[in-house]
Amino acid sequence: MRPGTPALLTLPFCLLLLAATPGAGQRRAPLPERMADTGGGTQLLTAVAPGTGATTGTLTWWDRREGHWVRAGSAPARFGARGLVEGTKRRQGTDTSPTGLYDLPYAFGIRGAPPGTALTYRRVRPDSWWCEDTASRAYNRWAEPRPADCRAGQAEHLAGYDPQYRYALVVGFNYHRPVRGRGAGIFVHVNGRGATASCVSVPEGAMRRILAWADPARAPHLAIGTTGGDTAVTRY
């Protein structure tokens, strides 16, 4: 204020500025309500990293109640060792987690399903594999036993990944109509020693809670993205 300016003359301007300030007297809408798409169901998981080069972030699960999204829980998350990349541009073997919005076809695990699990749950057996061989007819599919056209070096022997696959969710990335070479075996699973090969991982307790929470009748989806930029989770 300039010396000698009556304080009364500045009051309307101050009130106008306050009203125009983002968030003034308002609460920011929950993340799902700021997204372009949530999959059409009433349950959603969001896996958000601060940027594409990050290997850590947060996984949050949400319920839609009475027309609004409400946070049901959250946990620290880990992403691919080389960060995240737009799912439609991803290449296999890059150690990147694919951003995008995906369904969750089913769950599986080395251990039995946690109490309350409603999703289809497959128990891992000694001959359970996930085929990632681009030349195989079983590409990006559970195989039991491993088919002859799926090389062992291009497949994951599921029983050999403990604790990671004690509990896991299959992510619908490149799953329903697989594009060979885009990627296979993307899951939400239990933490290992560090960043993942391409998946999203959380502590074991959180994984158990997510499996007990997810209800196939409510069409849960997973959105993977960043807080901003071209891969912002709000764009999916």
Side-chain angles (χ1 to χ4, degrees):
M1 182 188 306
R2 289 180 297 171
T5 302
L8 183 61
L9 295 178
T10 66
L11 184 58
F13 174 76
C14 292
L15 292 175
L16 184 62
L17 180 63
L18 180 62
T21 301
Q26 302 177 14
R27 291 181 59 189
R28 196 179 189 194
L31 177 58
E33 294 184 11
R34 291 181 275 123
M35 291 173 59
D37 189 6
T38 57
T42 57
Q43 286 189 327
L44 178 72
L45 294 103
T46 54
V48 184
T52 54
T55 59
T56 60
T58 304
L59 179 71
T60 305
W61 46 107
W62 307 82
D63 288 309
R64 188 163 180 80
R65 302 173 184 166
E66 299 179 352
H68 297 283
W69 287 100
V70 180
R71 188 176 72 90
S74 66
R78 298 174 182 174
F79 298 93
R82 295 185 180 179
L84 301 86
V85 69
E86 168 61 48
T88 59
K89 300 177 181 178
R90 186 182 181 275
R91 301 303 300 169
Q92 187 162 317
T94 55
D95 291 341
T96 53
S97 297
T99 63
L101 178 67
Y102 308 107
D103 67 348
L104 301 164
Y106 60 92
F108 69 91
I110 292 171
R111 297 186 178 177
T117 300
L119 293 168
T120 298
Y121 190 91
R122 296 190 72 167
R123 188 75 180 266
V124 172
R125 305 196 308 180
D127 60 348
S128 300
W129 294 74
W130 196 275
C131 183
E132 300 178 3
D133 191 333
T134 57
S136 174
R137 289 174 295 178
Y139 179 65
N140 203 20
R141 287 292 184 274
W142 180 295
E144 198 175 275
R146 178 175 57 83
D149 70 347
C150 183
R151 294 166 290 175
Q154 299 294 319
E156 287 191 351
H157 186 211
L158 299 179
Y161 290 86
D162 191 354
Q164 292 94 323
Y165 295 161
R166 286 179 186 173
Y167 307 103
L169 273 169
V170 175
V171 177
F173 168 73
N174 202 34
Y175 183 80
H176 300 287
R177 295 182 179 178
V179 175
R180 295 176 187 274
R182 180 162 291 168
I186 304 298
F187 312 124
V188 180
H189 62 67
V190 175
N191 283 340
R193 294 183 179 179
T196 72
S198 295
C199 301
V200 176
S201 74
V202 293
E204 182 174 339
M207 197 68 232
R208 291 176 60 91
R209 291 195 297 275
I210 290 167
L211 290 179
W213 160 84
D215 181 355
R218 298 178 63 190
H221 281 68
L222 167 68
I224 304 173
T226 54
T227 55
D230 293 341
T231 53
V233 71
T234 51
R235 298 187 64 181
Y236 299 110

